[in-house]
Amino acid sequence: MPNGIPAEVKEAARIARALSHPARLQILNELRDGGAYVMHLTAVLGRPQANISQHLMVLREADLVTAEREGMTVIYHVRNPHVLDVVDQLLVLARERAEAHRMDDVMVGVEELDGLRGKRQRRRKGKCRCPRCREEG
Amino acid sequence: MPNGIPAEVKEAARIARALSHPARLQILNELRDGGAYVMHLTAVLGRPQANISQHLMVLREADLVTAEREGMTVIYHVRNPHVLDVVDQLLVLARERAEAHRMDDVMVGVEELDGLRGKRQRRRKGKCRCPRCREEG
DNA sequence: AAACTCTATTCGTGAATCGGAATAAGGTTG
DNA sequence: CAACCTTATTCCGATTCACGAATAGAGTTT
């Protein structure tokens, strides 16, 4: 092997790669307390189910999350809670950069597009029927 | 542009993306006390100068580092020291995963890893003639 | 069994990334 | 000026990524 890159550094880079998409950061955020069901993630993130599943696959292959079946549904957990520390640190960094640059640009107003895109598997935010959200109702 | 993703999450993902390459993690590691000259990075990482410069451009565009000319040379610094905390956390995670999977790969211990920050290790690979290494000769 | 629900995977395409080679650009020295 | 040193950029091919669409499992209900 030509490259003298320590295995740890390679692995750290792979982890960072798995964290390098907003949807995956949001997913990990949702897994904080007690994990989350896939249907919950699709409801909260407002993305198509297939897309959520694809991002979950990335997180699985990076060994950042675990998946267990519970009958018809699947619940995901973070494998090592330390990954949430990294997520937090990234968010801290992001906020500090925003403050430093006084960037008040926003990407809002996209919620309206939810109504326009009546696509197939897309679900609306806030209407989750996953076991956990159900028992809280 | 996807859904109503908070700006800070998008930014956090961009930062993670910038960290998602071993060379860039190594570069940031080398920038720990007092920054580093480009020629030093090329000597330590053992990569072509153009490649180092490309990775530095990625780090610059992510606002993670700053570059100042000093005559003929350029010295880079981390813009916000907190990014080094993220790097450390990523390395911790990587090591914990390695232990969990009982990799028989030869991995450096934490102690040695901390040693990467020392000046003594700077001359491990190739000879560097950057101003700092010169005055320490 | 069929029908249904929830999740995972495959496929195709456009975009982004990586790295080497070559070259350009900024700065110094003779 | 020319020659040189250090760093940045461009071009290009190969690889990987992201997403929608469609389809394929896995499990339940009727």
Side-chain angles (χ1 to χ4, degrees):
Chain A
M1 307 319 303
N3 237 337
I5 300 177
E8 268 186 348
V9 177
K10 275 193 210 165
E11 177 59 23
R14 282 177 42 201
I15 295 172
R17 177 74 191 78
L19 300 179
S20 69
H21 193 287
R24 296 197 285 268
L25 291 180
Q26 287 184 298
I27 287 175
L28 291 173
N29 236 339
E30 288 295 326
L31 298 189
R32 269 181 204 281
D33 326 293
Y37 294 88
V38 176
M39 62 190 305
H40 178 80
L41 296 173
T42 66
V44 170
L45 298 203
R47 286 172 174 269
Q49 176 268 321
N51 184 262
I52 293 291
S53 216
Q54 286 164 350
H55 284 299
L56 285 171
M57 179 165 47
V58 174
L59 293 173
R60 253 187 289 127
E61 286 172 351
D63 275 318
L64 298 187
V65 301
T66 63
E68 338 166 27
R69 281 210 94 95
E70 287 188 1
M72 215 163 25
T73 70
V74 176
I75 187 168
Y76 277 77
H77 292 90
V78 292
R79 185 183 289 276
N80 183 345
H82 277 121
V83 73
L84 296 175
D85 297 341
V86 179
V87 173
D88 288 337
Q89 294 262 22
L90 287 171
L91 289 170
V92 167
L93 262 183
R95 288 193 203 98
E96 287 176 352
R97 189 196 96 98
E99 289 170 2
H101 285 224
R102 307 291 202 284
M103 69 179 214
D104 41 12
D105 61 337
V106 283
M107 43 280 297
V108 293
V110 193
E111 297 85 6
E112 313 160 10
L113 293 180
D114 275 352
L116 297 177
R117 308 179 180 180
K119 299 314 177 190
R120 304 198 57 166
Q121 301 183 347
R122 173 154 283 156
R123 313 197 176 198
R124 299 194 134 272
K125 274 188 174 182
K127 294 189 177 180
C128 179
R129 291 172 305 168
C130 82
R132 190 160 305 169
C133 290
R134 214 176 249 281
E135 77 188 7
E136 288 170 358
Chain B
M1 311 199 273
N3 253 323
I5 300 174
E8 59 181 5
V9 177
K10 273 192 189 175
E11 176 61 21
R14 278 208 300 269
I15 295 171
R17 170 87 63 191
L19 299 179
S20 69
H21 193 288
R24 296 197 284 269
L25 291 179
Q26 286 183 298
I27 286 175
L28 291 174
N29 233 341
E30 287 296 326
L31 298 189
R32 272 179 208 276
D33 357 271
Y37 294 87
V38 176
M39 61 189 307
H40 176 81
L41 296 172
T42 67
V44 170
L45 299 203
R47 286 170 175 269
Q49 176 269 322
N51 185 260
I52 293 290
S53 217
Q54 287 163 351
H55 285 299
L56 285 172
M57 179 164 48
V58 173
L59 293 173
R60 250 186 292 126
E61 287 173 350
D63 274 319
L64 298 186
V65 301
T66 63
E68 337 165 27
R69 287 210 86 98
E70 286 187 4
M72 212 162 28
T73 69
V74 176
I75 186 168
Y76 277 77
H77 292 90
V78 292
R79 185 183 289 276
N80 183 346
H82 276 116
V83 73
L84 297 176
D85 298 341
V86 179
V87 173
D88 287 337
Q89 288 274 6
L90 286 171
L91 290 170
V92 167
L93 261 184
R95 186 162 192 278
E96 286 175 351
R97 190 196 91 100
E99 287 175 357
H101 284 222
R102 311 225 163 92
M103 292 176 114
D104 37 26
D105 253 15
V106 181
M107 283 203 164
V108 282
V110 191
E111 322 76 35
E112 289 180 64
L113 218 148
D114 287 341
L116 282 176
R117 291 128 103 156
K119 310 183 227 171
R120 266 178 301 131
Q121 305 261 346
R122 288 254 172 87
R123 280 189 296 273
R124 278 192 317 126
K125 210 185 245 179
K127 30 199 157 185
C128 179
R129 293 175 305 167
C130 81
R132 189 161 307 169
C133 289
R134 216 175 247 282
E135 77 188 7
E136 287 172 1

